[in-house]
């Protein structure tokens, strides 16, 4: 797949992820309000994010606690049964709702809780931002990995902890910006 088709597939994946994330964010925010839970506020939100970062650090070193998710990517059969555009929509929808794929971080859960506590529309915004970052990183890495030779692949795999820390920092920043907004 080249050029225009690649952009269309990436755009479909991003749109599907944003839509699914928006619906999940809306559901989380509505559930928080229906349950009558109080807003976390800045100190509570910071505590939730710090707990997620601590859990991520523990998971990185000890493989526990494992973030709650199905632990699977898109079924490979999809690529045999459907067109690339259809697979992009299906995969994007699963990426948009973090736990429906492999989720190597607790930040999705933290972002969801922080967003939901701030209100339905904040929850939607946080969910869509998280999904967009996830898809854009995935699309960028896929391009890089596809062009990497075996020795370069080993270096990429060795840099995973740094990449996870960078993503955690970006996630924390997104949560902080959403709280201020």
């Amino acid at each position: 797949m080249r050029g225009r088709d690649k952009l269309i597939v990436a755009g479909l994946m991003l749109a599907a992820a944003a839509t699914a994330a928006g619906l999940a964010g809306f559901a989380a925010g509505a559930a928080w309000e229906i349950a009558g839970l109080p807003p976390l506020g800045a100190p509570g939100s910071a505590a939730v994010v710090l707990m997620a970062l601590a859990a991520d650090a523990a998971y990185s070193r000890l493989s526990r606690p494992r973030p709650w998710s199905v632990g699977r990517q898109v079924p490979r059969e999809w690529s045999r049964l459907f067109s690339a555009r259809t697979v992009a929509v299906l995969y994007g929808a699963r990426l948009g709702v973090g736990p429906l794929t492999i989720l190597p971080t607790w930040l999705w859960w933290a972002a969801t809780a922080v967003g939901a506590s701030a209100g339905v529309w904040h929850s939607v915004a946080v969910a869509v931002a998280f999904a967009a970052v996830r898809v854009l990183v995935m699309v960028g890495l896929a391009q890089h990995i596809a062009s990497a030779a075996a020795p370069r692949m080993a270096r990429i795999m060795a840099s995973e902890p740094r990449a996870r820390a960078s993503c955690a920092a970006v996630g924390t920043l997104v949560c902080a910006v959403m709280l201020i907004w």
Side-chain angles (χ1 to χ4, degrees):
M1 188 176 344
R2 296 186 176 255
R4 183 172 176 250
D5 287 339
K6 256 184 175 175
L7 286 175
I8 290 171
V9 166
L12 286 169
M13 189 180 302
L14 182 59
T19 301
L23 291 171
F26 184 86
W32 192 284
E33 286 189 12
I34 289 169
L37 298 172
L40 291 175
S45 297
V48 168
V49 171
L50 288 174
M51 285 189 298
L53 291 172
D56 280 350
Y59 178 64
S60 177
R61 294 191 193 291
L62 309 170
S63 298
R64 294 195 190 282
R66 181 178 300 274
W68 299 324
S69 70
V70 297
R72 295 193 171 138
Q73 291 293 14
V74 177
R76 290 184 182 182
E77 296 79 26
W78 286 3
S79 63
R80 289 184 224 126
L81 296 172
F82 305 115
S83 70
R85 292 176 183 192
T86 302
V87 172
V89 170
L90 295 171
Y91 188 39
R94 285 184 69 166
L95 278 176
V97 183
L100 294 181
T101 60
I102 296 171
L103 186 67
T105 180
W106 283 96
L107 282 174
W108 186 88
W109 294 100
T112 300
V114 169
S117 82
V120 172
W121 299 114
H122 281 86
S123 185
V124 169
V126 167
V128 169
F130 197 97
V133 168
R134 191 169 190 214
V135 169
L136 293 173
V137 166
M138 193 270 316
V139 167
L141 284 177
Q143 179 64 33
H144 184 69
I145 289 170
S147 66
R152 287 186 63 203
M153 182 58 99
R155 284 195 308 262
I156 291 169
M157 297 304 256
S159 69
E160 181 185 348
R162 288 189 306 270
R164 188 176 291 167
S166 297
C167 287
V170 168
T172 303
L173 180 62
V174 167
C175 287
V177 168
M178 289 302 184
L179 281 175
I180 294 168
W181 175 51

